[in-house]
Amino acid sequence: MKVEFAPRSVPLQRRLQTAAVVQWVFSFLGLAQCCTAAFIALLFTRFWLLSALYAVWWVIDRDTPSRGGRRIQFLRKCVVWRHMRDYFPITLVKTAELDPRQNYLLGFHPHGVLAAGAFLNFCTEASGFSTLFPGITPHLMMLTLWFRIPFLRDYLMSGGLVPSDKESASHVLRRSEGGNLLAIIVGGAQEALDARPGSCTLLLRNRKGFVRLAIQHGTPLVPAFSFGENDLFDQVRNPKGSWLRWVQHRLQQVMGISLPLFHARGIFQYSFGVIPYRRPICTVVGKPIPVQKKHKPSEQEVNQVHEKYLNELSKLFEEHKAKYNVPKDSHLEFI
């Protein structure tokens, strides 16, 4: 007898999408603490050997994150990421081909509060990265601090995340076989403090380290702008010069991470909570900017390439903003 299954109802699909985003948000906010607590707690139970063995493995495996990590395709293709994609939804747009015989350094803008677009597009296959860019392996840089946390480091590496230090970046970019894309959220955690709906401000004017890195390896630069990334959360007002911004800046200097006071909707209501709004994100990947290799570039050479990058990023924004309901009078502001 043939059994037919009814398609999932819209309410069920929306619940699955919301559940996927909830687990992502709370894993982002609390997974580090949970992993650390579990590692320590196990030492005081009859399962102490698990933590002891992991500690040995941790020492043996300590260099893996800076050597490109250890991705697990099963986790990158997990169905939960497709539900997360459909919640917003999130899409990835290609404007030019990337030659798999070359390596690339991609600048991702803006950071947003939790960098949802960067994570889903480059750390999962939900938006079809491998289909859009065949032969290209994406790597996304993340604060080195997170790779020092037991268990969490393995979870991060499974998606293609690597530490945000020069050693890790150089390891990816100098691979002679090509086909690697290193994505850097250039504005970093500090830019998250300015992430609010409608904002077009990028912390980029004096961020030139990624340009110098590209020149040293002769790696083409690829600008990418994620429309809607700043629209997912509201944020408590923290203008420069305010006491809140001062506190956030000091905490960032001490801890290395920023602490934006963000809010959006709840799980069962839409008034208040830390679950992002259902607003579309579209990450547009621009065309590569050729870079001449030079081991020790001068400041003038770095500035020239940096200025060209700013121009190409602005051009990318202006060409596509009308498609994503960005007002005509909105333009990128570099600070």
Side-chain angles (χ1 to χ4, degrees):
M1 182 177 67
K2 183 179 180 180
V3 179
E4 295 186 357
F5 294 93
R8 287 175 176 166
S9 64
V10 172
L12 176 57
Q13 289 178 341
R14 291 178 71 89
R15 286 197 292 270
L16 288 172
Q17 293 164 9
T18 303
V21 172
V22 168
Q23 70 84 26
W24 170 73
V25 170
F26 283 98
S27 68
F28 188 93
L29 297 178
L31 195 56
Q33 295 89 332
C34 292
C35 288
T36 303
F39 178 80
I40 296 173
L42 284 172
L43 292 172
F44 298 95
T45 69
R46 59 179 178 174
F47 302 108
W48 63 269
L49 187 59
L50 290 176
S51 286
L53 290 174
Y54 184 86
V56 174
W57 163 250
W58 192 0
V59 172
I60 296 173
D61 194 54
R62 62 185 180 276
D63 293 330
T64 300
S66 60
R67 293 177 179 171
R70 183 174 48 246
R71 67 185 57 228
I72 301 175
Q73 290 300 329
F74 170 76
L75 293 179
R76 284 179 57 87
K77 297 178 179 179
C78 185
V79 67
V80 70
W81 306 130
R82 296 200 293 273
H83 289 307
M84 177 181 168
R85 173 199 65 197
D86 295 337
Y87 172 89
F88 295 99
I90 295 177
T91 54
L92 181 64
V93 174
K94 177 178 71 173
T95 63
E97 296 292 339
L98 298 184
D99 186 350
R101 293 171 297 181
Q102 282 190 303
N103 296 320
Y104 297 91
L105 196 159
L106 180 143
F108 181 92
H109 315 272
H111 184 285
V113 171
L114 296 181
F119 173 81
L120 193 128
N121 286 317
F122 303 120
C123 297
T124 80
E125 287 295 331
S127 58
F129 182 92
S130 295
T131 302
L132 283 174
F133 301 102
I136 303 294
T137 301
H139 303 265
L140 178 64
M141 301 199 84
M142 189 177 190
L143 193 65
T144 305
L145 167 69
W146 303 119
F147 292 89
R148 298 170 183 163
I149 298 174
F151 306 126
L152 178 62
R153 65 190 294 275
D154 300 281
Y155 171 69
L156 297 176
M157 286 191 291
S158 70
L161 285 153
V162 295
S164 56
D165 55 50
K166 188 174 181 179
E167 180 186 358
S168 302
S170 295
H171 183 86
V172 173
L173 297 179
R174 66 170 173 254
R175 289 178 174 174
S176 58
E177 70 275 14
N180 293 282
L181 181 142
L182 180 67
I184 300 178
I185 307 178
V186 182
Q190 188 176 344
E191 191 175 75
L193 299 177
D194 289 314
R196 47 179 46 84
S199 173
C200 294
T201 301
L202 300 180
L203 187 61
L204 186 56
R205 177 62 65 184
N206 296 314
R207 296 283 174 109
K208 301 177 183 179
F210 73 105
V211 173
R212 185 179 299 277
L213 189 65
I215 296 175
Q216 289 173 341
H217 292 276
T219 306
L221 284 163
V222 181
F225 193 87
S226 196
F227 292 91
E229 194 74 46
N230 281 337
D231 298 336
L232 305 186
F233 297 94
D234 292 313
Q235 191 172 162
V236 175
R237 277 184 53 80
N238 58 341
K240 292 182 179 178
S242 65
W243 68 269
L244 177 57
R245 188 59 168 255
W246 182 86
V247 170
Q248 290 173 322
H249 182 64
R250 292 296 297 173
L251 287 174
Q252 182 191 346
Q253 290 180 322
V254 173
M255 302 170 60
I257 57 175
S258 65
L259 297 172
L261 298 181
F262 62 90
H263 59 90
R265 51 160 289 192
I267 300 175
F268 303 110
Q269 45 76 31
Y270 298 91
S271 301
F272 188 83
V274 295
I275 307 304
Y277 296 119
R278 283 181 178 267
R279 293 173 179 169
I281 299 174
C282 184
T283 302
V284 182
V285 178
K287 63 181 181 180
I289 302 170
V291 174
Q292 186 69 35
K293 184 176 181 178
K294 189 170 184 179
H295 182 61
K296 292 184 178 181
S298 65
E299 285 298 321
Q300 183 180 1
E301 290 169 326
V302 172
N303 290 338
Q304 288 176 346
V305 176
H306 184 259
E307 193 62 32
K308 186 174 182 179
Y309 180 87
L310 296 184
N311 292 335
E312 289 296 326
L313 180 61
S314 295
K315 183 180 177 182
L316 181 72
F317 177 82
E318 295 295 333
E319 287 178 349
H320 293 87
K321 68 180 184 181
K323 303 174 188 176
Y324 306 110
N325 301 316
V326 178
K328 288 184 178 181
D329 59 350
S330 291
H331 307 285
L332 291 184
E333 178 187 359
F334 303 122
I335 59 173

